[in-house]
Amino acid sequence: MSCRCSEFQKTTSELQLLNKSILDIVTKLAEQTSMLNRAVFKSATHCGCIEIHGTKQIFSPHKSLEENQQELDTHIEGELCPKCRDKIIEEMGELLFYLASMCEALDISLENVLTEKHNHLKTLGLYNLL
Ligand SMILES: [Zn+2]
């Protein structure tokens, strides 16, 4: 069952109980970011389904942005196993819950945030990221 951002934000707001304060939401959002990062790294360090090999990204001034983009590396080797994938999806969902909670507390539409960012990305393309 898929849902729209506005429905997700509405459900989130209906379930606000312990974390209604913006102070709690901000700290939970930061904590949840760490939980998500930990789930990604544990896929490499505990499970081993992926390996992370950090190396310098080579960006050539003599190539186009598109050509450089093709040659950049994720530094990930292998694929997530179903267990790690489920855990990361769960942590991403928690992160979205706190982001939607922040939107609700500040009277901002999560759907508008996504739409504006999407339009911005489509307009500027790769140049948005420089
Ligand atoms: Zn795994």
Side-chain angles (χ1 to χ4, degrees), residues 43 47-50 79-85:
S43 298
C47 178
C49 57
I50 61 168
E79 289 183 19
L80 291 172
C81 70
K83 188 177 174 193
C84 290
R85 181 178 203 82

Side-chain angles (χ1 to χ4, degrees), residues 19-80:
N19 297 311
K20 191 151 185 158
S21 161
I22 188 66
L23 298 170
D24 291 326
I25 293 168
V26 167
T27 53
K28 291 297 279 186
L29 190 60
E31 183 180 83
Q32 190 54 42
T33 301
S34 295
M35 299 283 282
L36 174 58
N37 292 344
R38 182 167 169 75
V40 171
F41 295 145
K42 281 181 82 171
S43 298
T45 59
H46 283 70
C47 178
C49 57
I50 61 168
E51 293 181 5
I52 300 170
H53 298 276
T55 56
K56 181 176 179 174
Q57 299 277 30
I58 307 297
F59 197 88
S60 171
H62 306 295
K63 294 180 180 174
S64 70
L65 287 178
E66 290 77 10
E67 288 171 327
N68 274 299
Q69 183 191 33
Q70 295 294 318
E71 295 176 8
L72 295 176
D73 195 345
T74 63
H75 294 142
I76 299 171
E77 289 182 17
E79 289 183 19
L80 291 172

